[in-house]
Amino acid sequence: MLRKVNFISSCFTMAHQCSCGDIHNDVELGIQYNLYQKIDTGNVECLNEYEEGSGVTVFRSWESRLDRDKFVESDVDDELLFNIPFTANIKLKGLIIIGGENNLHPNKVKLYKNRPRMTFDDVTIEPEQEFELCVDTNGIHEYSPKIVKFSSVHHLSLHFTGIDRTERIKIYYIGLKGEWLPAHHHGVTICTYELHPQMSDQPKKNIEDVNRTIS
């Protein structure tokens, strides 16, 4: 006697809790956090990084966010400043941060829109938005920028600071979620202007009137 067995495929979601106290599900986050592909990585700047070139490594796929071999650590104090140019205009909708262990975790981040090549002298300017950061070792806590302020972004600056009296900060992953539009490049239009109008430019009716008057 043959028995008919029904196989039911179940979909399991992973739930995690970070220091904010909420439970987060990681459903579809990997699909949404793909703006790292639109970063002009060759021109990313990270000021005060301990190891040169390490700052750009924190921008990668959400699936590889838990890679602890790639990180950036600050050098002389507890500040890091990222200048992030994009290859297209983006609409920023989400931000995920995985920071370092214990006191190496950044405490705050300020977001600045379309201010290329910022320095630490510029961070006294009021940012478009600021977040206090929670400890999120799994990379599932989302910070939500105000879309009305980040709807047309070609350059994003992120200024991270640590807790008071912290010597250094460390970041493993920065995830960016949103939409993008290809940048438009407008060509130069060359116009030639004539100082004296040509006879061919005159209305036909006016030419006939002149001929009639002469005859």
Side-chain angles (χ1 to χ4, degrees):
M1 181 178 179
L2 298 176
R3 293 184 179 179
K4 185 178 180 181
V5 181
N6 294 325
F7 293 93
I8 301 175
S9 60
S10 300
C11 179
F12 297 95
T13 61
M14 296 295 293
H16 303 279
Q17 184 172 9
C18 65
S19 66
C20 72
D22 292 338
I23 301 295
H24 306 279
N25 291 322
D26 59 10
V27 180
E28 295 184 352
L29 283 181
I31 298 175
Q32 297 172 353
Y33 276 82
N34 58 5
L35 281 183
Y36 72 95
Q37 299 173 345
K38 305 304 177 186
I39 294 176
D40 182 4
T41 54
N43 290 304
V44 170
E45 293 181 330
C46 182
L47 278 64
N48 196 38
E49 58 185 4
Y50 178 73
E51 182 180 346
E52 185 177 355
S54 60
V56 71
T57 66
V58 303
F59 301 100
R60 54 184 187 269
S61 68
W62 186 82
E63 289 79 10
S64 62
R65 72 196 184 282
L66 300 181
D67 183 356
R68 293 299 190 263
D69 293 331
K70 297 178 180 180
F71 61 86
V72 60
E73 191 171 359
S74 62
D75 189 6
V76 296
D77 56 21
D78 63 343
E79 290 185 90
L80 284 169
L81 177 60
F82 291 86
N83 285 313
I84 311 162
F86 295 95
T87 59
N89 290 323
I90 69 160
K91 179 186 293 184
L92 186 63
K93 294 184 175 181
L95 182 68
I96 287 180
I97 308 293
I98 300 180
E101 303 80 5
N102 302 321
N103 290 336
L104 291 176
H105 198 284
N107 184 45
K108 290 183 180 181
V109 60
K110 295 180 180 179
L111 282 67
Y112 297 89
K113 168 188 172 182
N114 298 340
R115 295 180 181 273
R117 300 191 180 279
M118 286 189 66
T119 69
F120 288 111
D121 293 334
D122 302 318
V123 296
T124 56
I125 301 171
E126 184 177 356
E128 270 68 35
Q129 198 161 357
E130 180 177 351
F131 294 105
E132 291 192 4
L133 303 177
C134 64
V135 177
D136 173 25
T137 57
N138 292 294
I140 36 76
H141 182 97
E142 294 188 271
Y143 303 93
S144 300
K146 298 176 182 178
I147 297 179
V148 66
K149 290 188 176 183
F150 295 93
S151 60
S152 182
V153 182
H154 60 78
H155 186 282
L156 180 68
S157 295
L158 301 176
H159 177 223
F160 291 90
T161 53
I163 303 172
D164 291 342
R165 294 181 298 278
T166 299
E167 292 184 2
R168 290 187 177 183
I169 57 174
K170 189 176 186 179
I171 297 174
Y172 287 105
Y173 170 77
I174 298 177
L176 303 174
K177 179 179 76 173
E179 301 174 4
W180 70 278
L181 292 172
H184 294 286
H185 300 285
H186 299 282
V188 178
T189 302
I190 301 177
C191 300
T192 302
Y193 296 93
E194 295 178 338
L195 295 178
H196 302 285
Q198 302 297 318
M199 289 297 297
S200 58
D201 298 330
Q202 300 300 318
K204 184 176 180 180
K205 183 178 183 300
N206 292 344
I207 295 176
E208 293 176 349
D209 291 341
V210 171
N211 292 335
R212 190 178 299 112
T213 301
I214 294 175
S215 59

